[in-house]
């Protein structure tokens, strides 16, 4: 099945340190990949997407993601974490031949002051 | 520009009842999708509408249905509610295929 996997339920990082939230995908053909963030009692907010082109994608709030075809990964990164980045992060893919997003299980990011 | 608006924000229903949730997309967005979010199953796709036509459907029973109106507003209906239908129901709109989805804040449905 075409999907994404987020291997970590939770990531803890100290404020000011770099952060990485991992995502791997399993999609035939060229993947359309996305990252979303969800704050408590809110809907999801779009962070960034990869369709084609540069492997390093820059998004909102200082986040970026690196597409790696050989490792089938699309990890979310930020050079310096903020306490306000603490939230639930979802990786998502549009499977080939479909229009709907398939989401990963989510990773809770906790940034400690 | 106003975001995606979902009403109501909270609902409490009893098993066996039915419920209708409403979604107003961002102005100019013609595609509306619905997702169910639960702690156990995560985010699951329900269906997607474009120009009043259902283009895509997830793997949910027929008790879950939806529709889209000519002004792109959408409703979803769940009949014969079960306890397992308790969830956050999220609506999202987009301007075009493969464009980012813009989500509303959801309707939290509790079935007792």
């Amino acid at each position: 099945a075409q999907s994404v996997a987020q291997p970590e339920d939770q990531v803890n990082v100290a404020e000011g340190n770099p952060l990485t939230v991992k995502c791997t995908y399993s999609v035939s053909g060229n993947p359309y990949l996305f990252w979303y963030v969800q704050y408590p009692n809110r809907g999801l907010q779009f962070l960034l997407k990869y369709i084609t082109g540069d492997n390093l994608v820059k998004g909102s709030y200082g986040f970026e993601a690196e597409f790696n075809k050989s490792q089938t990964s699309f990890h979310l990164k930020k050079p310096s974490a903020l306490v306000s980045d603490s939230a639930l992060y979802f990786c998502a893919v549009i499977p080939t031949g479909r229009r709907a997003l398939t989401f990963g299980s989510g990773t809770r990011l906790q940034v400690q002051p | 520009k106003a975001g995606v608006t979902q009403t109501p924000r909270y609902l409490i229903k009893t098993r066996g009842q039915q419920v209708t949730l409403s979604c107003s997309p961002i102005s100019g967005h013609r595609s509306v999708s619905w997702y169910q979010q639960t702690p156990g199953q995560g985010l699951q796709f329900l269906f997607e509408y474009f120009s009043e036509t259902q283009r895509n459907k997830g793997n949910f029973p027929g008790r879950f249905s939806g529709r889209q109106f000519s002004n792109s507003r959408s409703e979803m209906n769940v009949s014969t509610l079960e306890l397992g239908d308790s969830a956050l129901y999220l609506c999202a709109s987009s301007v075009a295929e493969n464009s980012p989805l813009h989500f509303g804040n959801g309707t939290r449905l509790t079935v007792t």
Side-chain angles (χ1 to χ4, degrees):
Chain A
Q2 302 188 70
S3 64
V4 290
Q6 295 181 244
E8 302 156 315
D9 289 337
Q10 180 154 328
V11 169
N12 298 308
V13 64
E15 187 175 29
N17 282 0
L19 69 88
T20 298
V21 182
K22 296 179 180 177
C23 171
T24 58
Y25 66 91
S26 173
V27 174
S28 58
N30 295 319
Y32 291 171
L33 294 159
F34 301 78
W35 276 101
Y36 286 82
V37 60
Q38 185 177 33
Y39 296 98
N41 298 315
R42 303 293 296 272
L44 280 69
Q45 293 180 30
F46 168 75
L47 283 177
L48 50 82
K49 67 176 180 181
Y50 173 83
I51 304 293
T52 186
D54 290 340
N55 291 340
L56 187 63
V57 180
K58 293 192 182 297
S60 306
Y61 313 120
F63 285 93
E64 57 189 28
E66 187 171 8
F67 173 72
N68 188 316
K69 190 170 184 177
S70 63
Q71 297 185 4
T72 62
S73 67
F74 188 56
H75 301 333
L76 182 71
K77 301 183 179 188
K78 188 174 183 181
S80 179
L82 300 172
V83 172
S84 57
D85 292 330
S86 299
L88 190 55
Y89 289 80
F90 290 95
C91 181
V93 67
I94 297 179
T96 306
R98 290 182 60 82
R99 295 188 178 90
L101 278 173
T102 297
F103 285 90
S105 55
T107 298
R108 187 164 301 281
L109 173 67
Q110 195 70 38
V111 181
Q112 286 119 2
Chain B
K1 189 182 263 190
V4 177
T5 304
Q6 291 187 248
T7 56
R9 283 280 276 144
Y10 301 93
L11 266 178
I12 300 176
K13 291 286 188 178
T14 305
R15 271 180 303 174
Q17 289 185 316
Q18 74 163 17
V19 67
T20 299
L21 312 182
S22 180
C23 172
S24 293
I26 291 173
S27 177
H29 287 195
R30 294 164 64 188
S31 172
V32 173
S33 302
W34 289 88
Y35 288 81
Q36 182 197 64
Q37 185 176 24
T38 59
Q41 299 299 317
L43 280 157
Q44 293 189 286
F45 171 73
L46 281 157
F47 26 65
E48 185 230 351
Y49 288 87
F50 182 87
S51 293
E52 302 179 66
T53 300
Q54 187 181 89
R55 286 200 305 193
N56 219 352
K57 190 176 189 304
N59 191 25
F60 278 81
R63 300 184 297 107
F64 291 81
S65 63
R67 60 178 175 168
Q68 187 180 33
F69 302 95
S70 57
N71 61 359
S72 293
R73 192 176 68 85
S74 178
E75 290 181 347
M76 68 163 280
N77 184 280
V78 188
S79 62
T80 320
L81 283 166
E82 301 177 359
L83 294 178
D85 297 334
S86 295
L88 181 67
Y89 289 88
L90 293 165
C91 169
S93 72
S94 65
V95 66
E97 191 172 351
N98 297 331
S99 295
L101 296 180
H102 298 265
F103 284 82
N105 286 332
T107 293
R108 184 162 298 281
L109 172 64
T110 302
V111 182
T112 63

